[in-house]
Each structure stands twice: as C-alpha cells, then as structure tokens.
Amino acid sequence: MFRKRGVVLMILNVMSTAFLCLPLSFAETVLPQDHGADLKDDISKPGHLWAKEWNAHNLDAIVDLYAEDAVFLTAGGTRTTGRAAIRELFKQAFAATNSQLSVQSKATEQSGNLAYDSGEYDETSTSNGVTKSRKGNYLVVLRREKNRWRIVQHMWTDAGAK
C-alpha cells in the first residue's frame, strides 16, 4: 500500500512539474500573429521614409533611421560602419549630386526583433550639370529598438541606366 501511494505521489509530482513548465515552453514557441499588409507596411516604412528624406536632403532624418552600429554597403562595394561615418558619407553625396529617388518594396519578412525589406529603386541624379537615370535593387536589414525599426545593414546594387 505504501509503495502504491509513493508511486502515485511521484506521478502527481512529475505531472504538476510538467504542468507548471508548460506555459514556459509555449511562451518561447508561440509566433507573432501574421498581420499581413500591416506588417509589410511597418517593415517597408523605413525604406520609403529614407527615399523621401533623401529627396529632401534631410541628412538628420536619414541618419536617425540607422542604428548606432549600422553598416552601409555601397553599390561599388565600400563598407561604411557606424552612424557617424554613414552621416559623413551621405553629407558628401549631397554635396556632389542632386537626386530624386523612388523605392518599391518587393519582399519583407520578420523574425523576432529582426526584419528585412528587399526591393527596387529608380533614381535620377544630376552632378556637374549631367543628368543620369539608373535603377537597381536594395536590401535593408532592420532591428526593432524601443518599438521602432532601425536600419542595421543597408545594401544597394546598381543595375545601370534605365
């Protein structure tokens, strides 16, 4: 009789421990709900805002979209690391050219605090009196920081003239 009682108590102990741990295991595996277009708009928003502020030559607003440790990869392969260095790169670009840029997001995805936005761009720029039109692709990796997306990796390709 004591043996049966000991087995029953052991089973109850294991079951109660498993029951108490159950919410913890679900908390780590439950994925955020898919919000469809809302999520896509939320993730692609920094790219569209970037283009708007670029066209307005609003350096402070553009740089504010980047995380402190962000990396910008140019179409020519140059790696620029850190918000301050990115600011200087864009400041030089504004001094050298005047451009109008539009972006079209093609794919977005999110996993936890990271997301990406991949798309295409069209740009018309004027430098030294010469106007050029070109197009290409972009990839932006975002990290959620204090309830807002910040750019942590930014890459452009240049597909050449339109």
Side-chain angles (χ1 to χ4, degrees), residues 72-80 89 154-157:
F72 183 85
L73 305 168
T74 68
T78 303
R79 175 183 286 269
T80 304
L89 176 70
H154 193 173
M155 183 185 90
W156 291 84
T157 67

Side-chain angles (χ1 to χ4, degrees), residues 43-110:
I43 294 170
S44 64
K45 184 178 179 180
H48 291 285
L49 187 56
W50 193 97
K52 175 185 170 201
E53 299 301 350
W54 181 265
N55 293 339
H57 284 217
N58 190 346
L59 184 60
D60 291 336
I62 292 172
V63 173
D64 188 52
L65 294 170
Y66 289 86
E68 197 61 45
D69 60 343
V71 174
F72 183 85
L73 305 168
T74 68
T78 303
R79 175 183 286 269
T80 304
T81 303
R83 192 184 288 162
I86 291 169
R87 171 185 288 282
E88 188 57 35
L89 176 70
F90 293 165
K91 184 177 177 182
Q92 292 173 11
F94 285 155
T97 188
N98 184 15
S99 67
Q100 289 298 302
L101 179 76
S102 65
V103 296
Q104 183 179 13
S105 179
K106 295 290 185 179
T108 61
E109 190 72 40
Q110 176 191 2

Side-chain angles (χ1 to χ4, degrees), residues 2 9 12 20 39-40 53 76 96 115 119 123 131 162:
F2 289 112
L9 288 175
L12 288 174
L20 290 173
L39 179 61
K40 182 180 181 346
E53 299 301 350
E123 180 180 32
T131 300
K162 287 198 258 185

